[in-house]
Amino acid sequence: MFFQQRDRHEQMARLDPRDTNMDGMVSPQEAAAYIQDYMQNASPDERQQIMREYFGQMPADQRRQMGDAMVQSPYSPVQQVRHDDDDDMIEAYTRTAQAPMQDGRSPLEAAFGQGGALSNPLVKAGLVGLAGMIGSRMLRR
């Protein structure tokens, strides 16, 4: 099983130009950039479906911390988010991901950047997990 997962990561890395160091793994920063690109280019229905699935399986404390990271980021247009409401979480994430670039990076990358929310292991895992879900969905197409 480990080798199958490693092969899948390597395949995703070859397909994903955001794996800038080509180590076969997507870092949290690379995951944020990957998610940003997906959120700007996916159809609204596809975006809604994957985000609903993602937030539906996420533990409450991780949802709260992800929501807090978006609200606390000076680059995010999100002022508040209801952690226990899937639709509100989806809307906040989408608004953050689709906001204009600032200081050379997206608000999503800034919200989850070094020194910010990425110091929290739950947020890191959640961000990379979402990138994995998106990548998996893209590979199945």
Side-chain angles (χ1 to χ4, degrees):
M1 178 149 171
F2 170 77
F3 293 110
Q4 289 172 340
Q5 288 176 340
R6 178 78 177 153
D7 289 345
R8 188 176 311 125
H9 285 298
E10 288 174 356
Q11 182 181 16
M12 286 175 65
R14 283 192 300 274
L15 295 173
D16 183 5
R18 301 200 188 277
D19 182 18
T20 54
N21 62 5
M22 301 301 286
D23 66 354
M25 305 297 263
V26 178
S27 72
Q29 293 82 8
E30 291 168 328
Y34 183 77
I35 293 165
Q36 169 83 18
D37 187 53
Y38 173 81
M39 295 295 280
Q40 289 188 339
N41 295 302
S43 73
D45 289 339
E46 181 182 29
R47 229 181 13 241
Q48 183 82 5
Q49 182 182 9
I50 199 163
M51 297 302 288
R52 185 166 303 286
E53 180 182 332
Y54 176 68
F55 286 121
Q57 55 84 34
M58 184 181 282
D61 57 339
Q62 192 173 4
R63 289 168 61 107
R64 183 175 39 265
Q65 291 170 6
M66 288 196 98
D68 289 349
M70 287 183 283
V71 170
Q72 293 168 2
S73 172
Y75 299 101
S76 174
V78 176
Q79 300 294 314
Q80 65 181 21
V81 62
R82 291 185 315 271
H83 311 108
D84 59 347
D85 182 337
D86 285 351
D87 291 329
D88 202 46
M89 286 292 289
I90 292 167
E91 175 67 21
Y93 213 91
T94 302
R95 286 183 56 216
T96 301
Q98 293 179 336
M101 300 276 281
Q102 296 193 17
D103 295 335
R105 57 187 188 162
S106 73
L108 191 62
E109 289 175 90
F112 297 107
Q114 284 296 77
L118 282 183
S119 60
N120 184 315
L122 287 176
V123 174
K124 269 189 207 179
L127 195 61
V128 174
L130 177 56
M133 281 181 82
I134 292 168
S136 179
R137 171 102 18 123
M138 300 312 228
L139 287 174
R140 286 184 282 187
R141 283 188 185 177

